[in-house]
Amino acid sequence: MSLDQSILLQRRIQFLAVTGILVTGLLVAIATAVPIYRHAHELVASSLQASALSQAQSAGQFLSRTSEIALQIASRSGVRDKLEEYNNWQISLPDLVLYSAPRIRDALDQTGNIAGLVRFDRDNYPVLELGLPLPVERLQAPGLASTQPLIAGPVMVGAALRLLVVVPILSRDGQRVGTDLLAFDITPLEQLLSTAAQQDDQTRQLLFNRDGGTLTRIGHSGEPSHVLDMLGSEHDLLMEAAGGAVGMKRLTRDDGRVEVAVFSPMDDLPGWGFALLKPAREFDTPVLTRLISPLLTIIALVLAGAWLTARAIRPMASRVLAQSRQLAELSESMALAASVFEGSPQAVLILDAHHRIVETNHACQTITGFTVDQLRGRTLCDALCVNGGSSELCAQLWDTVGQVGEWQGETRLMRDNGETFPAWHSVNAVRDGSGHVRHHISMFSDIGDKKRAEERIRHLAHHDSLTNLPNRSLLADRLAHALDRARRGDERLALLFIDLDRFKHVNDSLGHPVGDRLLQTVARRLDSVVREQDTLARQGGDEFVVILEEIDDPEDAARVALKLLSALEAPVVLDQHEIFVGASIGISLFPDDGDSSEELLRSADSAMYEAKEAGRSTYRFYTAEQTRISRERFELESGLRRALERDELRLFFQPQADCADGRLIGVEALVRWQHPERGLVPPDRFIPLAEDIGLIGQIGDWVLNTACAQARQWELQGRPLRVAVNLSGQQISHGDLFDTVQSALQRSGLSPHLLELEITEGHILKGVEACILTLRRVKTLGVTMAIDDFGTGYSSLNYLKRLPVDRLKIDRSFVEGIPLDRDDVAIVATILSMARNLGMEIIAEGVETTAQLGHLIEAQCTEYQGYLLGRPVPVDELEGWMAQRVDNTVSN
């Protein structure tokens, strides 16, 4: 040990010795101070309580004295008899006042501290008032009718607080003939209590009337008495005092000041309480003063003893220095080893040379449940290993430890309740100086949570979190293995691609949480159909895939597809909603329709689309023609997504004319797609596709804005034409149609009456009420509206009369049969008659012959369009056609 360390040790010894003396002195000081403090506290508390009780008694005597004075005034026989005569209607009120007033006033003057009086007759009506006006309204009828004196208040009378005393006026035979209400000045009470308390400005005297609910602070040193708000802590102790309790408490005021409160009831006055409150420092100062002298003496003695002890032990510290050094090092080493042993989160077991357990730490009991007494003396393998000492792993473990001195690996150990758990285990040999094994150290930890977490992660990586079915990753792995087995065994395999019908509608109308629960229900139903050796996986969204192995012929796959469709026939009830959901199933076969996973999935997906086009809720096998259709659909979809960006859409216009004179009155805007490779793509090829992939809204907005801009040009050129624009169902149902139309009109500057919006019956019937509300709001912009292809849907006069429609458009399928087809003639006549009765205009489309036009004119149809008038053409061709038509008209 160095010199510096020796000096430090000596200083520590001196410090500990002096500290011990100081602590001893502190304990002596505490032992001395506590009884002194208690005695002083009792003396001060007794003095304060005696003072409070004395003041409470004085206050009570004052209040009792007021009652006595009031009773003396009320009992004056002459005045009392006159009041009784008044009650019996023997004298009048002026006679009563004339007789009673001077006599009662003399009595009041003699007392000197009565500020006012009100005398009531037997029926509680005031008959005489002297002095200051009193708050008669504060008294209740039962109080006036009492036969015992009552003390109320204090209340504000005039400019000062007064004590109200109510006393009955009793006849000679003891019957009540009236009541006196007197207001006593409380100045004598203030003087009495101020003199008795010798109080300063911080001391408060509180008087509490429980029946009246008033709390009064008695004035002193020039401060008048005044009524206080009933604060929580003061209210509680004064309620105790009014109830007869005597005590002392500490209170903390709102401003943080602490007071000592002594409270007491007032003798012979039920419901009255008195409290004396002094600042806590004034209460504690006398107590602490009595402690100063003995505490200073003890401190001086302790300091002297500490100084003498420090000088005395200095030589002794050097002699024990060496021993202390060795003891400290040993103690530190043992403490470190013990803390490591007990604080380790791993189970630690100390074994002897024969593998018997000698000691264990707390973690071992926590993990296994065995106490050290239960394990001590038993071998490690016999106590904790699953198969006891006979296990092959135990033999391998000890062989390795004997050869290399250590072993580690995963074992399965046992708890005290028989439960087993996986553990990461290590064993090390501890040898003495000669190389002989003295002990073994065994350490292990429970890795059950870790292995479960790893298993959970593996499961989540390969299963869908919503349905718990194999996901796309596990599907690909199982399909690859299934194809390998099918190739080796020369077997057939079927892949079923399932897409739910109408699922998007459920999500949009009922919300995604309901959609998720629907997918879970569908997954359970589908899983109940497939065999255990088959695989049902969720491909994503509302798509599922089934792998059928070892099938004999395609009919086996068809039978499974029918079972799957049958499982989905029953409605699913969620949140009181009855949901019908079917499925379209595409089937591909190995090796017929592909040799790889990608080919089979692509083929089954193509077949699934064929099933949807066939009417849904059915299945279809893959065919080669589907590959061509699927590839063409993919190419069209890919090109359509970029058509707007590349400015490939074109707007054609078909003229509309008046049936009677052939005058051009408007055009219908029709969109075409100018594909860079396929040329001009008709709308029936790409409009349904745009609706499927969600592009119809963007295309519809483009058509609307472009048509409005062109119509505005014609309007500025002096040839205004009505332009009709078709709306898709998605544009109507998505809720922003009003803003879209308003924006197009504002951007182009087109007069609203030149824009006509065409809607189909089918779109209306998908959501009649919402559609009506939306179209009525759009109608407020000043546009006109027409129903396209009228008569082809399920027409309803109920909704037709509620829609803000200006025009009906007769479908071409009814026009092409006239005038020869009687049914078409009758249908057209019915539509025309209905429109006239509803005040709507009519336009017929698809007019191709003069005979058709002639029949329409005879039937009083107002407008028409069709190839007879003109085909849909680009704007430059239409303008040339209009110019030529004008020239022909002029020449004629």
Side-chain angles (χ1 to χ4, degrees):
M1 177 181 292
S2 65
L3 178 61
D4 292 339
Q5 292 174 326
S6 300
I7 295 173
L8 180 60
L9 181 58
Q10 290 181 18
R11 289 178 178 175
R12 286 180 178 175
I13 294 174
Q14 291 176 345
F15 173 76
L16 292 175
V18 172
T19 302
I21 293 176
L22 292 176
V23 171
T24 303
L26 177 61
L27 295 176
V28 172
I30 293 174
T32 304
V34 169
I36 294 176
Y37 174 81
R38 288 179 177 174
H39 180 64
H41 185 277
E42 291 173 359
L43 290 177
V44 176
S46 298
S47 175
L48 184 60
Q49 287 178 337
S51 177
L53 291 174
S54 175
Q55 294 176 51
Q57 186 177 10
S58 298
Q61 291 173 355
F62 174 80
L63 297 180
S64 298
R65 178 60 181 160
T66 59
S67 297
E68 294 174 1
I69 293 173
L71 285 172
Q72 292 174 5
I73 294 174
S75 62
R76 294 203 169 200
S77 58
V79 179
R80 178 193 60 196
D81 294 341
K82 285 296 181 181
L83 179 61
E84 187 173 8
E85 292 176 5
Y86 171 77
N87 288 336
N88 295 329
W89 302 90
Q90 296 174 2
I91 61 173
S92 64
L93 178 60
D95 293 338
L96 174 66
V97 174
L98 181 64
Y99 180 83
S100 302
R103 291 167 174 76
I104 296 177
R105 186 176 292 110
D106 290 341
L108 298 181
D109 293 341
Q110 292 175 10
T111 61
N113 65 336
I114 299 179
L117 175 144
V118 178
R119 171 156 290 191
F120 298 87
D121 63 8
R122 183 175 52 202
D123 297 324
N124 297 332
Y125 289 104
V127 296
L128 177 62
E129 297 187 18
L130 298 176
L132 297 176
L134 303 186
V136 176
E137 67 277 359
R138 293 179 61 93
L139 297 177
Q140 303 295 328
L144 293 175
S146 173
T147 60
Q148 297 296 327
L150 298 176
I151 303 176
V155 299
M156 187 64 68
V157 177
L161 282 180
R162 316 286 180 179
L163 193 67
L164 297 183
V165 179
V166 182
V167 295
I169 304 172
L170 304 180
S171 64
R172 298 179 185 276
D173 56 358
Q175 298 297 317
R176 175 182 168 273
V177 296
T179 301
D180 276 350
L181 170 64
L182 300 94
F184 283 84
D185 191 353
I186 65 173
T187 302
L189 177 62
E190 294 175 349
Q191 297 172 349
L192 178 66
L193 296 181
S194 177
T195 302
Q198 295 180 352
Q199 56 180 316
D200 55 23
D201 293 340
Q202 300 297 322
T203 302
R204 297 192 296 157
Q205 294 169 304
L206 303 181
L207 194 64
F208 177 58
N209 181 357
R210 182 182 60 191
D211 297 332
T214 57
L215 174 64
T216 308
R217 178 176 179 179
I218 303 302
H220 62 90
S221 301
E223 179 186 354
S225 300
H226 55 277
V227 178
L228 302 177
D229 293 333
M230 290 296 291
L231 303 179
S233 55
E234 296 169 348
H235 174 270
D236 294 342
L237 67 88
L238 285 168
M239 286 295 291
E240 293 183 35
V246 179
M248 185 171 67
K249 290 184 178 180
R250 283 181 179 262
L251 302 178
T252 301
R253 301 181 65 175
D254 293 339
D255 57 4
R257 290 183 293 172
V258 181
E259 294 179 320
V260 176
V262 180
F263 55 92
S264 168
M266 300 177 66
D267 295 339
D268 301 327
L269 290 174
W272 285 81
F274 177 81
L276 177 64
L277 295 92
K278 293 179 71 68
R281 65 176 182 277
E282 295 184 12
F283 178 84
D284 296 334
T285 298
V287 177
L288 297 176
T289 302
R290 297 178 64 90
L291 293 175
I292 293 176
S293 178
L295 287 179
L296 289 176
T297 302
I298 293 173
I299 291 173
L301 293 175
V302 169
L303 292 176
W307 181 78
L308 293 174
T309 301
R311 291 183 60 84
I313 66 173
R314 187 176 298 169
M316 298 172 56
S318 300
R319 290 195 296 270
V320 299
L321 185 60
Q323 296 177 357
S324 299
R325 174 179 174 274
Q326 295 176 355
L327 183 62
E329 291 178 351
L330 179 60
S331 176
E332 183 180 355
S333 176
M334 293 180 64
L336 179 61
S339 63
V340 172
F341 180 72
E342 284 299 332
S344 173
Q346 290 184 308
V348 181
L349 296 85
I350 301 176
L351 317 177
D352 62 14
H354 301 289
H355 312 156
R356 290 190 294 268
I357 300 173
V358 177
E359 191 65 48
T360 66
N361 68 348
H362 181 71
C364 178
Q365 181 176 349
T366 302
I367 295 174
T368 66
F370 288 109
T371 64
V372 63
D373 294 333
Q374 292 174 311
L375 296 177
R376 187 177 287 126
R378 301 173 64 186
T379 64
L380 174 66
C381 292
D382 178 60
L384 297 177
C385 291
V386 174
N387 295 322
S390 61
S391 99
E392 180 180 346
L393 180 60
C394 279
Q396 180 184 353
L397 183 157
W398 290 116
D399 287 343
T400 304
V401 172
Q403 294 174 11
V404 300
E406 62 181 4
W407 176 91
Q408 67 176 359
E410 184 177 330
T411 58
R412 192 156 197 90
L413 303 182
M414 185 169 57
R415 306 188 202 274
D416 63 339
N417 58 5
E419 177 186 343
T420 63
F421 64 94
W424 186 254
H425 200 169
S426 67
V427 179
N428 293 270
V430 179
R431 303 179 185 272
D432 57 18
S434 60
H436 296 96
V437 176
R438 295 182 56 190
H439 294 90
H440 295 91
I441 304 298
S442 172
M443 301 176 65
F444 62 82
S445 58
D446 185 351
I447 59 173
D449 291 341
K450 178 182 177 183
K451 294 181 72 68
R452 283 188 291 272
E454 292 174 349
E455 179 61 30
R456 176 63 177 166
I457 291 173
R458 284 194 295 270
H459 181 83
L460 291 176
H462 295 92
H463 289 79
D464 174 52
S465 60
L466 180 64
T467 62
N468 206 34
L469 294 176
N471 60 10
R472 187 191 299 265
S473 174
L474 185 55
L475 171 66
D477 182 68
R478 290 191 179 180
L479 182 55
H481 285 83
L483 288 174
D484 290 340
R485 288 191 294 269
R487 294 187 189 99
R488 289 194 300 269
D490 194 20
E491 298 171 347
R492 303 190 75 173
L493 177 149
L495 192 70
L496 281 66
F497 197 103
I498 306 169
D499 185 89
L500 301 184
D501 298 332
R502 296 177 296 276
F503 178 75
K504 185 177 183 302
H505 174 70
V506 174
N507 254 355
D508 293 342
S509 57
L510 301 181
H512 289 279
V514 174
D516 290 345
R517 291 164 57 195
L518 176 61
L519 288 175
Q520 292 171 338
T521 303
V522 168
R524 287 192 295 269
R525 291 189 181 183
L526 297 179
D527 190 54
S528 66
V529 172
V530 299
R531 300 172 302 180
E532 185 175 350
Q533 65 267 31
D534 298 329
T535 295
L536 170 64
R538 185 185 177 198
Q539 177 78 350
D542 60 344
E543 298 174 344
F544 297 85
V545 174
V546 176
I547 304 174
L548 300 178
E549 300 187 59
E550 300 178 4
I551 64 172
D552 296 329
D553 54 55
E555 288 302 316
D556 293 338
R559 281 190 290 271
V560 173
L562 288 174
K563 290 181 180 180
L564 293 172
L565 294 173
S566 177
L568 300 179
E569 287 181 353
V572 178
V573 180
L574 298 174
D575 295 340
Q576 300 180 348
H577 296 289
E578 192 175 56
I579 303 172
F580 290 88
V581 57
S584 299
I585 303 177
I587 306 173
S588 62
L589 302 172
F590 170 84
D592 310 60
D593 303 325
D595 187 61
S596 65
S597 300
E598 293 76 9
E599 290 178 329
L600 289 176
L601 281 170
R602 189 164 53 249
S603 299
D605 180 65
S606 179
M608 182 272 296
Y609 277 107
E610 181 68 20
K612 281 191 176 295
E613 294 179 2
R616 303 176 186 268
S617 294
T618 187
Y619 69 90
R620 287 291 184 272
F621 282 94
Y622 170 77
T623 63
E625 176 64 16
Q626 291 174 2
T627 300
R628 184 191 65 78
I629 297 174
S630 177
R631 184 181 298 110
E632 181 180 352
R633 176 186 173 89
F634 174 79
E635 291 175 355
L636 283 175
E637 178 180 336
S638 177
L640 187 58
R641 292 185 183 279
R642 296 189 294 272
L644 282 172
E645 301 174 6
R646 297 178 177 178
D647 195 25
E648 294 175 359
L649 296 182
R650 302 288 182 267
L651 204 60
F652 281 35
F653 297 91
Q654 186 174 23
Q656 299 172 335
D658 186 281
C659 288
D661 56 13
R663 176 174 50 88
L664 185 64
I665 58 174
V667 294
E668 181 179 7
L670 301 169
V671 65
R672 300 291 186 266
W673 178 15
Q674 187 65 46
H675 195 280
E677 298 175 359
R678 300 175 181 271
L680 198 64
V681 181
D684 59 350
R685 292 279 304 280
F686 70 88
I687 291 298
L689 179 60
E691 291 179 342
D692 289 343
I693 63 177
L695 287 179
I696 191 64
Q698 299 179 37
I699 294 176
D701 292 349
W702 180 88
V703 171
L704 179 62
N705 282 278
T706 305
C708 287
Q710 181 58 57
R712 176 58 176 167
Q713 290 184 19
W714 289 331
E715 185 180 13
L716 293 174
Q717 294 170 4
R719 47 180 179 180
L721 289 176
R722 182 187 69 215
V723 59
V725 178
N726 291 280
L727 294 179
S728 69
Q730 293 184 21
Q731 286 179 284
I732 299 174
S733 61
H734 283 179
D736 57 352
L737 180 61
F738 177 86
D739 296 333
T740 301
V741 175
Q742 184 182 49
S743 175
L745 291 172
Q746 292 176 347
R747 187 180 295 110
S748 64
L750 178 66
S751 299
H753 71 278
L754 294 178
L755 175 62
E756 181 168 275
L757 302 177
E758 292 188 358
I759 54 178
T760 62
E761 289 183 282
H763 294 152
I764 298 172
L765 292 174
K766 290 180 180 178
V768 175
E769 297 302 327
C771 179
I772 290 173
L773 292 175
T774 299
L775 295 179
R776 283 180 176 176
R777 186 163 181 245
V778 173
K779 190 71 168 67
T780 61
L781 294 173
V783 300
T784 60
M785 292 189 181
I787 296 182
D788 193 14
D789 302 334
F790 185 77
T792 58
Y794 298 93
S795 303
S796 169
L797 293 179
N798 181 45
Y799 80 75
L800 184 60
K801 69 180 182 180
R802 295 168 56 199
L803 284 170
V805 175
D806 304 282
R807 187 174 286 101
L808 298 181
K809 199 168 189 178
I810 303 175
D811 186 66
R812 66 178 66 251
S813 61
F814 303 133
V815 174
E816 65 182 4
I818 60 174
L820 301 179
D821 191 304
R822 293 183 178 179
D823 293 336
D824 288 344
V825 170
I827 291 173
V828 170
T830 301
I831 295 174
L832 288 170
S833 175
M834 180 181 63
R836 281 192 294 270
N837 291 332
L838 292 175
M840 297 180 184
E841 298 181 5
I842 287 289
I843 181 172
E845 64 176 346
V847 178
E848 299 182 358
T849 66
T850 55
Q852 293 170 344
L853 177 59
H855 180 82
L856 291 172
I857 293 173
E858 291 180 3
Q860 299 182 359
C861 178
T862 55
E863 301 171 6
Y864 77 101
Q865 72 179 82
Y867 288 175
L868 178 64
L869 179 62
R871 294 175 176 270
V873 293
V875 63
D876 52 349
E877 293 186 25
L878 177 66
E879 290 179 342
W881 177 85
M882 289 191 297
Q884 182 180 2
R885 185 179 179 87
V886 171
D887 294 340
N888 293 337
T889 304
V890 172
S891 62
N892 293 333

